[in-house]
Amino acid sequence: TGSSGRLVAMASSAQPPLSFSKNLAAGAIAGASELLVMYPLDVIKTRFQLMSGRGKSPSIVDALRALRSEGFANMYRGLLAPLGVEPLKRAIKFSANAKYAAIIIGDKAPTVWTSLACGALAGVTECLAIAPAEVVKVRMQAKERAALYKNTGDAIMKIVKTEGVGALAQGLEAALWRQATWNGSFFAMSFAMKKHVLWTPDSRGSELGRNFVSGLVGGTVGVALNNPLDVVTSRMRNVLPGEPTPYRNAWQSVALIAREEGAGALYRGFMPKVLRLGPGGGILMMAYEVIANLLR
């Protein structure tokens, strides 16, 4: 049967596959859980990435203190945009991965490389669905835009009215590369850790622990590989009409930043991002498995 392919997305070959609708539901709930816990780190990550030049970024502790001093509302500024699509994003991540696995893997045993391919394709699919919300999120998180947008609804209206609907796809090409890289790495490394490195679970608690560790490793590797593309995406999405920008496409921008600001600039925001998407990947994988088992 084609169930072997679907198991790549669910990370547990001992369980029967979920239906497409249940995959959507499990991914949605898992994604919302991870976002609510980790969002302040995402705000800091974006602000670090928008810093240009060769100056050193502040420490995460200092950035958290500064963000907290702005008030609770700013710690979660822009949350509604990603929260509105985060369930969809995570649902697509798992359900699309399962669908691509059924097509690419079929009856064959999954491998690291097929897991990578299915994950990357799932990343491209989710990116197309969430691009407008991501543009709004970056604009809301940017400290210099705080006076420009009152709230998420105001940001959406102003962007569409003054820049056109096309502005909601700003930075899409770089974002496609970013999402493909993270998702491919996440699913491939999670699969490799479970298949070749981690223990065989002998209890429900042991299985949850394995899922968390595999997601943690997958999320961390994904961040290490895609952070340069994330820096580019954030900067592209924060450009307003009439503002000069040297960023034309993903790889030209990566090369430009490395040349003018140093290679280290491509890893601005790395620590808050890895602190979010490393443990966040573990939370995501663990929450997904918990919800999936409840739905079976």
Side-chain angles (χ1 to χ4, degrees):
T1 68
S3 62
S4 295
R6 290 181 175 85
L7 294 176
V8 176
M10 295 181 296
S12 176
S13 59
Q15 298 289 344
L18 288 177
S19 66
F20 183 75
S21 61
K22 288 182 177 180
N23 249 316
L24 282 171
I29 296 170
S33 302
E34 183 270 336
L35 181 68
L36 289 170
V37 173
M38 297 293 186
Y39 189 76
L41 286 170
D42 191 67
V43 176
I44 292 172
K45 180 268 297 185
T46 299
R47 291 185 178 185
F48 280 6
Q49 290 178 341
L50 294 177
M51 295 176 181
S52 59
R54 291 183 175 266
K56 186 178 179 181
S57 299
S59 70
I60 295 176
V61 173
D62 289 341
L64 280 170
R65 285 174 180 163
L67 184 61
R68 188 173 62 182
S69 72
E70 296 176 28
F72 181 82
N74 273 12
M75 291 180 67
Y76 283 86
R77 182 172 168 80
L79 173 67
L80 288 181
L83 186 61
V85 298
E86 191 70 17
L88 174 65
K89 174 183 177 180
R90 302 308 190 187
I92 291 173
K93 180 189 299 294
F94 286 98
S95 58
N97 185 70
K99 284 294 183 182
Y100 288 125
I103 295 169
I104 294 172
I105 300 172
D107 294 337
K108 299 184 289 292
T111 66
V112 171
W113 295 110
T114 55
S115 299
L116 175 68
C118 295
L121 288 170
V124 168
T125 305
E126 77 172 14
C127 184
L128 294 172
I130 66 169
E134 290 278 305
V135 172
V136 174
K137 176 180 76 76
V138 169
R139 298 286 186 88
M140 289 287 289
Q141 290 178 338
K143 192 172 183 178
E144 68 271 23
R145 309 293 186 203
L148 184 58
Y149 307 118
K150 297 177 183 177
N151 51 52
T152 299
D154 182 56
I156 294 170
M157 294 298 293
K158 284 181 177 175
I159 291 170
V160 172
K161 184 177 180 179
T162 62
E163 304 175 44
V165 176
L168 295 175
Q170 201 164 309
L172 180 61
E173 179 253 353
L176 288 168
W177 284 108
R178 180 192 68 178
Q179 295 303 111
T181 302
W182 192 89
N183 281 273
S185 303
F186 176 74
F187 282 106
M189 287 304 300
S190 296
F191 173 84
M193 291 296 293
K194 289 184 177 185
K195 182 74 173 177
H196 303 295
V197 178
L198 297 178
W199 61 90
T200 300
D202 56 7
S203 66
R204 185 68 188 131
S206 176
E207 184 179 9
L208 286 175
R210 187 181 73 150
N211 289 336
F212 180 82
V213 173
S214 66
L216 171 67
V217 173
T220 302
V221 171
V223 171
L225 293 176
N226 91 334
N227 203 84
L229 293 160
D230 197 22
V231 171
V232 170
T233 302
S234 293
R235 294 189 182 188
M236 284 183 167
R237 286 175 165 167
N238 195 41
V239 177
L240 298 183
E243 292 182 346
T245 176
Y247 309 123
R248 297 193 302 273
N249 59 60
W251 298 109
Q252 171 268 339
S253 300
V254 167
L256 179 68
I257 293 170
R259 184 171 66 250
E260 294 192 348
E261 302 178 41
L266 294 171
Y267 280 86
R268 285 212 173 104
F270 176 78
M271 284 308 299
K273 185 177 179 182
V274 81
L275 286 174
R276 180 201 167 187
L277 293 180
I283 292 171
L284 181 66
M285 185 65 78
M286 189 168 62
Y288 174 82
E289 288 290 342
V290 169
I291 301 301
N293 280 317
L294 290 174
L295 292 175
R296 284 191 174 100

